[in-house]
């Protein structure tokens, strides 16, 4: 069983920063995409940022551009999300996803973490 473990969430005040980290329980032979998503109750899960290893290319949702920064190595050993100037609307459960190949999979597969909670409030 492959698991992605997120860490770094917590309660912060507006304007403060957090750094989220994601570490897989097993190595990846190859990685296509590394991403962070977030979700709030009653809403669909939203893609926040991702790295496509073909290029590579980096993408951010408009609301976090200039504030959030994703990073990771090409094998998905660690995927991080630096979040600066946090706003109350950033409050959500944040999920890590790695799209790639492991010894456990028959082929390319999406692997998800269980999420880490970020609360931005005064």
């Amino acid at each position: 069983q492959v698991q992605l473990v997120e860490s770094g969430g917590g309660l912060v005040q507006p304007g403060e920063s957090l750094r989220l980290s994601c570490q897989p329980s097993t190595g990846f032979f190859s990685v296509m995409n590394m991403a962070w998503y977030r979700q709030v109750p009653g809403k669909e899960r939203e893609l926040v940022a991702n790295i496509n290893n073909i290029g590579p290319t980096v993408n951010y949702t408009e609301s976090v551009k200039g504030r959030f920064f994703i990073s990771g190595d090409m094998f998905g050993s660690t995927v991080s999300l630096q979040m600066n100037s946090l706003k109350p609307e950033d409050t959500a459960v944040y999920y890590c996803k790695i799209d790639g190949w492991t010894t456990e999979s028959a082929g390319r597969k999406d692997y998800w973490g269980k999420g880490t909670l970020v609360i931005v409030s005064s």
Side-chain angles (χ1 to χ4, degrees), residues 1 4 8 23-24 31 34 37-38 45 48-49 51 53 57 60 70 78 88 103 105 114-115:
Q1 294 179 336
L4 306 185
Q23 293 182 309
V31 172
M34 299 171 284
Y37 289 74
R38 66 186 179 187
R45 190 167 297 184
V48 177
I51 301 172
N53 274 345
T57 59
Y60 298 93
I70 187 172
T78 302
T103 185
S105 65
K114 294 183 178 180

Side-chain angles (χ1 to χ4, degrees), residues 4 8 18 21-23 29 37 45 52 61 63 65 74-75 86 94 97-98 103-104 115 117-118 121:
L4 306 185
L18 283 175
S21 296
C22 172
Q23 293 182 309
F29 296 127
Y37 289 74
R45 190 167 297 184
N52 191 316
T61 191
S63 63
K65 287 182 178 178
M74 64 182 298
F75 298 109
L86 283 161
Y94 285 73
K97 187 186 81 172
I98 299 178
T103 185
E104 187 179 270
L117 178 63
V118 173
S121 177

Side-chain angles (χ1 to χ4, degrees), residues 28-30 99-111:
F28 281 76
F29 296 127
S30 185
D99 169 15
W101 294 259
T102 71
T103 185
E104 187 179 270
S105 65
R108 181 179 170 186
K109 184 180 178 180
D110 288 340
Y111 296 88

